Amino acid sequence: MQVENFVFALFILVASIVVFLNIQTRNFFKFYISRASSPSSSLRVSDELFHVKVRITLLIRKTWRFCLALMLIYIATFGVFPGVLVHVKASATDNALWNELFTPVACFLVYNGGDLLGRMLCSHFGFPAKREQLFLGLSIVRLLLTPLLLLCNIVPRVSYLPVIFRGASFFGSMNAFLAISNGYLTSVAVVYAPKKIDCFLQERVGTIMVAVLASGMSLGSVVSLIIVKMFF
């Protein structure tokens, strides 16, 4: 199964590279690249980059709570999903079909569905724009999901890691909460952070948030590796 997942991921990566190379041969792409390389456009781009270099610290200083919260969100998420959650098994049951479908349904389907739901909820139930400290606090509290999920029925596990929550319903609920909160809080962070800055710099704040998100994913992957080495 792991080999199949790796091959699929490799296929997606190669396909993305092929699509990217193909796009560069299209007239649409060439037209806008040629416009961007004109002298007036170059001057305009250089001027924008100059302002960004001067004010980059100001941008981070004004949005640091959203940046830190976004990083913590993905450290918590990638710290357990999917590296840890795929090892959670259904409690002893004679239902062979449920045992076979437990990981695809309770882990992946619930998570992806919950993440999508969380992102949709953000468009209907916004977060108070000026409650940045509350937003950061929620992201910190969300880290408590990691030990709760580690206390589920993980197989295999080290002897000193107890199993307190054997029920599939508890695991499914915690996984759904992890997913919904990930989708909702991520959407809030990337939408509200640029609004704290002047409109002509909002695009640069968006770039900063993407970099923070990628950093959080990387740190979360490292945390996941540490957890697996410690408790499995």
Side-chain angles (χ1 to χ4, degrees):
M1 187 65 178
Q2 292 180 350
V3 175
E4 294 174 356
N5 292 337
F6 175 77
V7 172
F8 180 73
L10 181 61
F11 170 77
I12 294 297
L13 178 61
V14 173
S16 300
I17 295 174
V18 171
V19 170
F20 176 73
L21 294 175
N22 183 57
I23 286 176
Q24 297 185 60
T25 64
R26 302 292 179 176
N27 293 331
F28 180 84
F29 180 87
K30 292 179 179 180
F31 172 75
Y32 283 99
I33 286 296
S34 62
R35 289 187 60 184
S37 60
S38 63
S40 58
S41 298
S42 299
L43 182 60
R44 183 171 60 254
V45 172
S46 299
D47 183 62
E48 291 177 0
L49 291 177
F50 171 77
H51 285 293
V52 170
K53 289 180 181 179
V54 171
R55 304 186 62 179
I56 187 66
T57 56
L58 175 62
L59 297 180
I60 296 176
R61 215 165 57 227
K62 285 192 172 184
T63 60
W64 72 269
R65 290 185 180 87
F66 286 113
C67 292
L68 179 58
L70 185 62
M71 183 171 293
L72 292 176
I73 289 167
Y74 277 85
I75 289 175
T77 299
F78 277 73
V80 293
F81 180 86
V84 174
L85 300 190
V86 294
H87 293 282
V88 177
K89 304 299 180 183
S91 54
T93 177
D94 295 330
N95 193 332
L97 179 61
W98 174 238
N99 290 333
E100 186 71 20
L101 295 178
F102 181 79
T103 298
V105 173
C107 180
F108 290 100
L109 181 61
V110 169
Y111 177 84
N112 287 284
D115 184 67
L116 176 61
L117 177 61
R119 296 174 192 274
M120 294 172 63
L121 287 175
C122 182
S123 61
H124 297 285
F125 304 98
F127 195 86
K130 296 183 179 181
R131 302 298 298 274
E132 299 176 42
Q133 293 183 347
L134 175 61
F135 182 77
L136 179 58
L138 291 175
S139 302
I140 295 174
V141 172
R142 188 173 175 271
L143 294 172
L144 296 176
L145 289 173
T146 299
L148 289 175
L149 288 167
L150 285 175
L151 296 176
C152 292
N153 189 32
I154 295 177
V155 179
R157 65 182 184 278
V158 294
S159 58
Y160 55 82
L161 182 65
V163 178
I164 298 179
F165 309 109
R166 293 185 178 274
S169 58
F170 179 85
F171 169 70
S173 300
M174 288 296 99
N175 189 24
F177 184 73
L178 176 77
I180 294 173
S181 60
N182 181 82
Y184 180 79
L185 295 177
T186 298
S187 299
V188 170
V190 299
V191 169
Y192 282 78
K195 292 183 178 181
K196 292 182 60 62
I197 306 299
D198 296 331
C199 60
F200 63 91
L201 289 172
Q202 289 181 355
E203 182 179 352
R204 301 307 173 189
V205 175
T207 304
I208 292 174
M209 298 304 290
V210 171
V212 170
L213 189 150
S215 300
M217 293 172 64
S218 301
L219 291 175
S221 300
V222 173
V223 171
S224 178
L225 179 61
I226 294 174
I227 291 175
V228 169
K229 293 294 184 181
M230 288 179 60
F231 299 111
F232 289 26

